[in-house]
Amino acid sequence: MLVASSSRRKSARSRREPSSDRIEEDYPSQHVGNNDDVEGGDDEEEQPRRKVKQEKKARKRARGDSESDNEPPAVVDDDEDDRIDIENFHDQPLDKKEGGKLSGIAQDWEMIRKQIHQGSFSLAKEVATSLADVLEGDNATQALSEVDDIMKTLIDIDYEMQSHEKTLSGMHQQLMRGEPVEGAVDLYEKEVKKRINEFNDRTTRKKYGSNDQYVQFKQGIFEVQKPGENIPPINDFIPREEGDESDDEDDLEIGGVTQDFKCPITLTMLVNPMKSSTCGHAFSGDAIRDYLKRGPPSGKSCPAAGCSQKLTMAMLVADSSLEKRAKLAARRAQRDEDDSDVDDEEVIE
């Protein structure tokens, strides 16, 4: 009787309690200890995933494809409920709803590129002008040549980043016109590579001769080494190569100007200089403020000789780089003058 009673209780318990194998089959993603989910059935995330997988297998069976246990699952976009086939991602066309994402990535490239402009380029120019001030002869030539190589490398990196930015912007514009982008990844890679190769095929003059950062770099060195002299065209600093136009025909020459480090108003060395965004003339900060304060709100004529441009305070911007170059040029000019005095004394003796 005891055996029979025990058997009946065991049989009844078996009917009431499902086996662990059955639970695992029904709830493949169930974690130990989550009894609420067991009682409530499949959780909300598991249901759409199983549905997607079942639909995909059904499509494969319809095509006659064999199923594989190692087949990668489809990816579900929870926001838009779009299914993206990872295997065939390269072949999926993009449409307008992806355009905003491409635009955002392009803006990221632009932001990083501008940070390089503001940081690395400025640092390279400051190092070059400082070396030009303290070094002379072969030492100066060697050191400045190394900084020149760094500057060119920065410009190369800058152009490469622009290639990514412009390629993504072009794809974005294409999508905004309602034109789908086929083979987006391959198209992106090929277009970036094409832009970079075209840049690398240019001559040295064509790469750097019209780059504002490089022009300012070379001019800053010249101003410190030879204060008061006319700055020659940029092509005078870059040897001509095969494929370059002759110097007489080149329309991209920049230079041939003199940077005057004296204020046109005070006729003394620039102090806290401010530069006109219209005519490019620079003035000591206090002097130009006082000059414009005594004029009408519409502005006054530029006080630089021969310039008739109107000036207002809104047209003036502080130029800390010019101030540094002015100080370096003044120090070098003083040093040259002292050396000249010493030579004169030796001749007299």
Side-chain angles (χ1 to χ4, degrees):
M1 292 296 292
L2 290 174
V3 172
S5 175
S6 175
S7 298
R8 282 195 299 272
R9 286 198 300 272
K10 184 174 182 181
S11 175
R13 188 184 307 112
S14 299
R15 287 195 299 273
R16 289 196 305 271
E17 299 179 359
S19 68
S20 61
D21 291 340
R22 178 63 179 171
I23 293 175
E24 183 64 28
E25 179 180 352
D26 288 345
Y27 308 101
S29 64
Q30 189 65 42
H31 298 291
V32 176
N34 195 352
N35 295 328
D36 293 341
D37 288 344
V38 172
E39 293 176 2
D42 293 346
D43 59 39
E44 295 180 357
E45 289 187 18
E46 193 61 31
Q47 290 179 4
R49 287 179 182 170
R50 184 180 296 116
K51 182 179 179 182
V52 168
K53 190 170 182 180
Q54 290 172 351
E55 290 178 356
K56 186 173 181 180
K57 288 183 177 180
R59 289 198 301 271
K60 290 178 70 67
R61 286 195 295 271
R63 295 198 304 266
D65 297 342
S66 60
E67 294 186 18
S68 170
D69 294 336
N70 297 324
E71 178 183 358
V75 176
V76 178
D77 187 329
D78 292 333
D79 293 333
E80 300 177 5
D81 197 26
D82 290 333
R83 292 187 293 275
I84 302 174
D85 188 344
I86 296 176
E87 267 187 349
N88 300 319
F89 175 74
H90 281 239
D91 300 326
Q92 292 187 356
L94 303 181
D95 52 29
K96 269 191 176 183
K97 59 188 174 185
E98 282 88 18
K101 299 176 184 177
L102 293 183
S103 179
I105 299 172
Q107 290 173 6
D108 289 342
W109 278 108
E110 182 183 15
M111 179 183 66
I112 297 171
R113 186 174 64 83
K114 286 183 176 179
Q115 289 176 348
I116 290 179
H117 270 297
Q118 296 167 359
S120 302
F121 284 145
S122 296
L123 179 60
K125 286 185 279 190
E126 288 182 11
V127 169
T129 52
S130 297
L131 291 173
D133 178 51
V134 300
L135 299 179
E136 295 182 350
D138 293 340
N139 290 335
T141 301
Q142 177 63 30
L144 291 172
S145 176
E146 293 175 1
V147 182
D148 188 271
D149 289 340
I150 293 173
M151 189 69 179
K152 288 176 179 174
T153 300
L154 289 173
I155 293 172
D156 293 344
I157 295 172
D158 182 71
Y159 192 87
E160 182 176 343
M161 298 179 77
Q162 284 189 58
S163 298
H164 287 276
E165 177 190 335
K166 291 179 179 179
T167 298
L168 289 166
S169 295
M171 294 171 66
H172 170 249
Q173 292 171 6
Q174 183 175 340
L175 291 172
M176 292 301 97
R177 292 194 299 267
E179 304 171 9
V181 174
E182 304 284 348
V185 175
D186 289 339
L187 175 64
Y188 172 72
E189 292 176 348
K190 288 178 181 177
E191 182 63 22
V192 170
K193 186 176 181 180
K194 176 186 174 184
R195 289 176 180 272
I196 294 174
N197 288 340
E198 287 176 351
F199 177 77
N200 291 334
D201 289 340
R202 298 177 186 176
T203 65
T204 305
R205 281 187 178 182
K206 291 179 179 178
K207 281 183 183 178
Y208 312 114
S210 59
N211 184 283
D212 289 341
Q213 297 289 346
Y214 190 73
V215 172
Q216 294 169 16
F217 171 79
K218 300 300 281 187
Q219 288 182 346
I221 294 172
F222 187 89
E223 288 171 356
V224 174
Q225 290 182 327
K226 300 180 180 180
E229 294 188 21
N230 287 348
I231 302 174
I234 186 63
N235 285 342
D236 284 11
F237 301 111
I238 307 175
R240 186 175 179 273
E241 299 171 353
E242 184 178 353
D244 285 326
E245 298 176 353
S246 67
D247 292 340
D248 294 336
E249 298 173 354
D250 194 349
D251 294 328
L252 295 179
E253 288 190 0
I254 302 174
V257 297
T258 302
Q259 176 63 66
D260 191 353
F261 293 111
K262 289 186 177 180
C263 173
I265 302 173
T266 64
L267 302 180
T268 59
M269 191 63 67
L270 290 167
V271 179
N272 298 325
M274 301 193 74
K275 198 171 187 177
S276 167
S277 59
T278 55
C279 61
H281 291 118
F283 317 90
S284 290
D286 290 342
I288 191 63
R289 288 189 188 93
D290 184 63
Y291 174 79
L292 293 175
K293 184 171 62 175
R294 292 183 277 108
S298 58
K300 293 180 66 175
S301 297
C302 174
C307 183
S308 58
Q309 288 282 347
K310 280 280 188 180
L311 282 184
T312 64
M313 282 304 301
M315 299 175 183
L316 295 166
V317 292
D319 194 334
S320 58
S321 174
L322 176 58
E323 182 176 21
K324 292 176 183 177
R325 301 200 318 270
K327 289 179 179 179
L328 290 173
R331 188 160 62 239
R332 191 174 187 90
Q334 184 63 49
R335 194 162 58 234
D336 291 343
E337 184 178 339
D338 294 342
D339 292 341
S340 177
D341 291 341
V342 171
D343 293 339
D344 292 340
E345 288 177 5
E346 290 178 352
V347 170
I348 293 173
E349 291 178 358

